[in-house]
Amino acid sequence: MPSLNTQNQPTSPGSITLVPGIEVGHFTSPLRPTGCTVVIARDGAVAGVDVRGAAPGTRETDLLEPTHLVDRIHAVMLAGGSAFGLDAAAGAVRWLEERGIGFDVGVARVPLVPAAVLFDLHVGDARIRPDAAAGYAACEAAAAAASSSAAPLPLAEGCVGAGAGAAVGKLFGMAHAMKGGIGSASVTVDGVTVGALVACNAVGDVVDPETGRPVAGARTADGLRLRDTRRALLAGDAPRTLLAGTNTTIGVVATDAVITKAQARRLAVCAHDGLARAINPVHTLSDGDTLFSLGTGRAGKPLGMMVLSTMAAEATARATLRAVLAARSLTTAEGLHLPCAANIAGTAPWGAGWP
């Protein structure tokens, strides 16, 4: 069995919450594997977005165009539940409005909360999905974590929030797929930090960006080894017919550097380089890969876009890898079995019902 190469991984991958001005909270449904994750910028953040997958599910992405009026937003919502999960953003809007956070239009403050969703309806009861109450609860969780007087806890990763129902390696059918999840990482250079948060539900494999070797993805017929989707496709193995939009990797990159709206868009574009290093194949017709970018400006200085872009791609690649390394195996009541990367690597026992 392939082993995970952790020799070149950073001792601490960091987290998007190390970016000053950024708060993150998860809501994970107790009823089935699904949930949502909110990234809050209470003071507003310059924002951008880049959609590379051909089957996206998004909300309020048009306002992030560099030529459009509004240049700051207040939160980003990531959710499971396919298009139904976009309702979670309404809960974040209500939570922010109650606290006087939003774009001042004179008679009210309107919170601006773009969102993106991934498809997890095939994991458990599809009638259960994130709603406005779930989005509100995620905001409460973010606020509680940010206001804790104790030492801040590490941001929860793996099978939580928007990553609760995520799976990867689905090109040869769900029976050969593995558990995906949500992960975070950050990079700091010259006093400026770039962090990433990625919910990975890719149709392709997740690979170690340092070695290019798959660590989670499509499995062989016996279910015990990785098939290596790239090599299998190039060898002529026929993929299963996939319904468009039933996958998707979504996420947020954030920095405390001072950036413009146009630079925020470029940061989101370059962050997709990180996805390409960590997922293969990526940006397919069956994925809705979408990345947002946020700039809080808290560092009080810019950093050249060459360096910022490199940092964004690096943090995104590491966060994507973290999403599967932190995931744990799942067996649904319907009998769907999704092992995790640690099972394949032999560092965690196979769960009940596994070979």
Side-chain angles (χ1 to χ4, degrees):
M1 297 181 190
S3 61
L4 299 181
N5 182 340
T6 58
Q7 182 177 7
N8 294 320
Q9 299 305 319
T11 303
S12 173
S15 170
I16 193 173
T17 53
L18 294 180
V19 177
I22 295 296
E23 302 170 30
V24 177
H26 301 298
F27 169 82
T28 307
S29 173
L31 302 177
R32 84 162 179 94
T34 192
C36 59
T37 300
V38 69
V39 180
I40 299 174
R42 292 186 189 231
D43 296 332
V46 176
V49 67
D50 188 46
V51 179
R52 292 291 179 92
T58 58
R59 159 190 160 128
E60 288 197 321
T61 53
D62 283 352
L63 64 84
L64 302 181
E65 285 294 323
T67 57
H68 291 186
L69 175 65
V70 174
D71 65 349
R72 302 182 77 81
I73 64 170
H74 309 96
V76 173
M77 181 64 70
L78 309 176
S82 190
F84 299 110
L86 291 171
D87 284 349
V93 169
R94 179 164 64 89
W95 189 89
L96 291 165
E97 182 189 21
E98 290 174 356
R99 287 151 184 80
I101 299 170
F103 180 64
D104 189 355
V105 294
V107 295
R109 287 188 176 271
V110 181
L112 301 176
V113 185
V117 293
L118 55 80
F119 185 96
D120 59 9
L121 299 180
H122 44 29
V123 183
D125 188 344
R127 295 170 297 180
I128 300 168
R129 51 257 183 166
D131 56 12
Y136 191 97
C139 292
E140 289 280 87
S147 63
S148 173
S149 58
L153 296 174
L155 178 63
E157 298 175 292
C159 306
V160 296
V168 299
K170 292 169 276 188
L171 266 176
F172 301 101
M174 282 297 291
H176 302 285
M178 290 179 61
K179 190 69 187 70
I182 194 166
S184 190
S186 62
V187 181
T188 300
V189 174
D190 193 24
V192 169
T193 299
V194 176
L197 181 72
V198 175
C200 186
N201 187 52
V203 69
D205 296 345
V206 175
V207 304
D208 185 332
E210 295 292 337
T211 66
R213 296 183 62 186
V215 297
R219 292 173 290 134
T220 53
D222 63 9
L224 300 177
R225 293 174 295 279
L226 292 172
R227 186 168 182 164
D228 194 331
T229 294
R230 178 180 67 90
R231 293 183 184 277
L233 292 175
L234 293 175
D237 291 1
R240 289 281 190 92
T241 300
L242 297 167
L243 181 64
T246 53
N247 306 285
T248 295
T249 297
I250 53 179
V252 179
V253 292
T255 181
D256 54 353
V258 175
I259 58 174
T260 66
K261 195 173 180 183
Q263 289 172 329
R265 169 62 186 276
R266 178 52 52 183
L267 207 60
V269 169
C270 293
H272 276 280
D273 292 349
L275 288 191
R277 293 175 198 164
I279 300 172
N280 199 335
V282 71
H283 304 143
T284 74
L285 286 172
S286 296
D287 289 291
D289 302 331
T290 300
L291 293 180
F292 297 93
S293 60
L294 301 174
T296 67
R298 291 284 192 92
K301 62 181 181 180
L303 192 64
M305 282 302 295
M306 182 66 72
V307 178
L308 277 180
S309 298
T310 301
M311 294 167 70
E314 183 67 22
T316 300
R318 293 182 187 178
T320 304
L321 181 61
R322 284 292 309 163
V324 295
L325 293 183
R328 293 296 173 259
S329 61
L330 170 70
T331 300
T332 70
E334 294 77 15
L336 175 64
H337 304 299
L338 296 171
C340 62
N343 297 143
I344 294 291
T347 58
W350 292 81
W354 291 106

